[in-house]
Amino acid sequence: MPLVSMAPMLRQARANRYGIAAYNMIDFNSARAIIDGAADLDAPVIVQVSVKTVKHWGYAHIATWVRMLANDVATPVALHLDHCTDIDVIRRCIDAGWTSVMFDGSALPFADNLEKSVQVYGLTEAAGVGLEAEIGAIGGVEDDKVVNDDASRLADFDECVKFVAEMPNLAVFAPAIGTAHGFYKGEAKIAYGLLDRITAAISTPIALHGGTGLTDDQFHRCIAAGCGKVNISTMHKRLFIEGFVNLKAERPRLEEPLPFISAQHAAMKADVMTCIRTFGSAGRAAEAAHAA
Ligand code: 13P
């Protein structure tokens, strides 16, 4: 089916207490693995793209690949731009056919983040695409952005309320709740109390960033609290590389590239399917498509 906006399907996910997987694609094969995994489980899915990846392949190529893959399946697929600080990149993605974008003003002082986010909200509302916006500072490494432990900062509850009140149609809100991008050095310390206060006060679906390495329990707890969008990037990148490397280790004389592409696709797709089952979105394609 044609690409859909993530906003209505995330509202549905939050209301029905499941999470929609949002995977960062790397190339065509990785986007295919995400969409194939979702289609096999009848699950809605979000293909998101880091700014570096957009710039590497080009706006039109990515939009064309994902649109083409989505058209081949009956499950709803949204194309989303992950953490972006540059309004020009956001504009170009909207023009190229992205169905949602994230403006990440979290490095700015609150008032500036709010002002810029509201400016981008004006753009996305006019274009009819969804917006994700963040406050607090999510730790770890995502794209070219590095937030070390000292700089990571939980979202402030009062600021969360003020922020979302200015953007009533926000597709998804990303408050920093203690998760981090990349592999965790121990167990993630999630501020469940803060998450519960936020979801009690705000009906916007919440994005759970830093999905790689969270336990099933942590996923279930956050999704039950209202995290409708669950982001996974680092594990997908690892499997992208391991798909090739493991096959080469097993069959060092193999020179034909297609088995490597297939091994890579299988490794990424299997993880997508595991996560979708964990997040509870298997079998939700029809209701998500209906919402969209
Ligand atoms: P991980 O890289 O930890 O999976 O986090 C992904 C993410 O939150 C992308 O924004």
Side-chain angles (χ1 to χ4, degrees):
M1 62 187 283
L3 289 172
V4 298
S5 165
M6 67 178 183
M9 62 186 196
L10 287 176
R11 279 197 292 274
Q12 187 94 15
R14 176 170 170 175
N16 292 335
R17 307 287 166 181
Y18 58 89
I20 297 181
Y23 268 84
N24 289 63
M25 62 169 274
I26 302 140
D27 68 348
F28 180 79
N29 201 32
S30 70
R32 200 174 131 247
I34 298 164
I35 293 173
D36 287 349
D40 278 10
L41 289 176
D42 251 343
V45 76
I46 297 164
V47 175
Q48 55 186 18
V49 201
S50 303
V51 173
K52 208 158 52 176
T53 307
V54 178
K55 289 186 174 166
H56 181 89
W57 295 112
Y59 296 80
H61 284 112
I62 289 190
T64 304
W65 295 342
V66 178
R67 198 183 298 123
M68 200 166 72
L69 290 163
N71 277 338
D72 275 352
V73 297
T75 207
V77 178
L79 173 60
H80 179 61
L81 175 68
D82 201 14
H83 296 275
C84 184
T85 54
D86 183 340
I87 297 183
D88 189 46
V89 171
I90 287 178
R91 271 204 193 93
R92 294 182 68 179
C93 283
I94 293 173
D95 290 346
W98 262 251
T99 53
S100 58
V101 296
M102 174 177 188
F103 174 69
D104 179 355
S106 60
L108 303 169
F110 175 72
D112 298 348
N113 183 7
L114 178 59
E115 188 191 322
K116 280 258 164 64
S117 298
V118 168
Q119 185 191 338
V120 177
Y121 181 69
L123 277 179
T124 56
E125 285 298 287
V129 306
L131 175 66
E132 174 174 352
E134 171 180 336
I135 65 173
I138 297 169
V141 179
E142 171 54 40
D143 218 3
D144 285 333
K145 183 179 160 197
V146 181
V147 179
N148 60 33
D149 290 353
D150 299 339
S152 68
R153 185 170 28 82
L154 292 180
D156 175 88
F157 173 74
D158 294 328
E159 288 181 354
C160 289
V161 174
K162 204 167 155 198
F163 193 75
V164 174
E166 297 292 326
M167 294 173 279
N169 221 8
L170 192 64
V172 61
F173 175 48
I177 54 164
T179 57
H181 298 121
F183 289 107
Y184 291 98
K185 292 182 205 95
E187 194 163 301
K189 291 187 184 58
I190 300 179
Y192 292 118
L194 174 62
L195 175 61
D196 288 341
R197 279 185 81 199
I198 292 172
T199 53
I202 293 171
S203 61
T204 308
I206 304 296
L208 181 63
H209 281 252
T212 298
L214 296 182
T215 64
D216 285 4
D217 245 28
Q218 290 175 319
F219 282 129
H220 292 150
R221 176 77 181 75
C222 291
I223 290 167
C227 292
K229 174 173 183 275
V230 186
N231 287 7
I232 310 276
S233 175
T234 302
M235 183 51 83
H236 202 61
K237 289 189 207 162
R238 170 166 283 188
L239 295 170
F240 179 92
I241 294 168
E242 281 185 0
F244 273 78
V245 172
N246 290 349
L247 185 61
K248 190 66 182 165
E250 254 171 58
R251 298 174 64 189
R253 287 170 187 280
L254 185 62
E255 301 295 345
E256 161 64 36
L258 292 178
F260 289 95
I261 303 277
S262 297
Q264 189 193 43
H265 176 267
M268 292 186 286
K269 181 181 166 188
D271 182 62
V272 169
M273 292 177 77
T274 301
C275 281
I276 285 174
R277 289 193 180 97
T278 304
F279 304 162
S281 53
R284 302 287 191 162
E287 78 171 49
H290 190 251

